[in-house]
Amino acid sequence: MRNVQRTDIQHLLGVACVSALCLATQGSSVAAFSIGSRSGRTIHQASKSFPLSNLYAIDREKSFVLTEEEVKPIVRLGEGDSEKIINAWGLWGATISALTMPFWAAAMTIVNGICALNEDLDPNRAVYDATGKVWSKLWLIVANSYPEVTGDVDRLKTTRGPCLYVANHASWLDIPILCTVLDPVFKFISKAELVQAPCIGKQLTGGNHILIDREDRKSQLRTFKEGVNWLKKGVPLMAFPEGARSKDGRLMPFKGGVFSMAMRSKVPIVPISIMNTHAVMPSNTLFPVQCGKGKLGVHVHPAIDTVGKTEQELVDLVRAALLSKLPKDQHPLEEPLTTTAIDDLPKIKISSAQKYQHQNAAQKHGHAVNDVTHVIKDIHIAKDAANAMKDISKDHAQGPFSVIQKEDKREESKSI
């Protein structure tokens, strides 16, 4: 009797959510969804009706980044580095969001209310998360920005057990794209500040995703344990190893400790290259500035086994995989050095963070940067910078799970 009740209510959740989102788009493609299925995976089946692969091929030699003259901003908010712009295409994106997000919020409220009656109805919050996946698909389709998906596409359609998905991060658009292409239930590893974002914050908290407070060491330990628990339950995780969005789209150095949960749980890492989101929705905009069709792409790389590998080996393998499919204008101007220990910084002439700053400064002035060591004439400046960084919390310098790495080392020493 309990199984019958669970199936019926899951079906009701699917019908309610798809119906609400259908009303939001008023599109024939969405209205064509079958909501009469007796399966408890109505939304999941509906989302599969969208193709993961398109007919166009992305030119990875070409840069799709627009100049400000080409963007033609209409609205400017803020000043200086905090300035955000909106152009005509952005107004269209804002309109789509304004019309559809209330229905997304309503769908989450309906699912949450029904599941509150019995937590066993949706233990992994798969139906709850599916509301965000459907909304992401619809938004990208209506905005004519559905990405091309290549590589190990079958891994995105079916669950092959727990794993850690990792991707480069260059735009807010990365989140709906990942929600669009990843069919199985998964959990984001996200910074806690995102809970303030409309609908996205509700999705993260209601879906029991992993939120990191970088200022709180206890939060790091708690989120690490949450991640390991999800992996034990067979639920994949999704993380951005750079730790922040790249302002110019170029792949940045990885934060230390990002792969620690996968290593602890002995699950594979699946790299995902996301192409040209920085060109479609740059960091200084609130909405996309151009159509994404023919520009946006996702490539799923073969899984990397974590057993028997060090973290640095995994960093090198993942980085090489991501770069192999990223467009040229998303490659670093000069391959940054990747270190996992702050003590290594004084041994080099210039830190990775300093390289990144000077590369960006040079790029803005149109200079080619082949060697940035001339920017710092005195090696003591680099040493002083390294010493100053020692005073900064290693949560920032080494990544959100540096505390866990220390505990692992202590445990290993005790076992020896």
Side-chain angles (χ1 to χ4, degrees), residues 53-66:
S53 182
N54 296 325
L55 298 178
Y56 60 84
I58 296 174
D59 185 356
R60 292 192 289 119
E61 300 294 321
K62 179 180 179 181
S63 175
F64 294 99
V65 177
L66 301 179

Side-chain angles (χ1 to χ4, degrees), residues 4 7 123 258 274 292 317:
V4 173
T7 301
V258 72
I274 305 177
L317 289 171

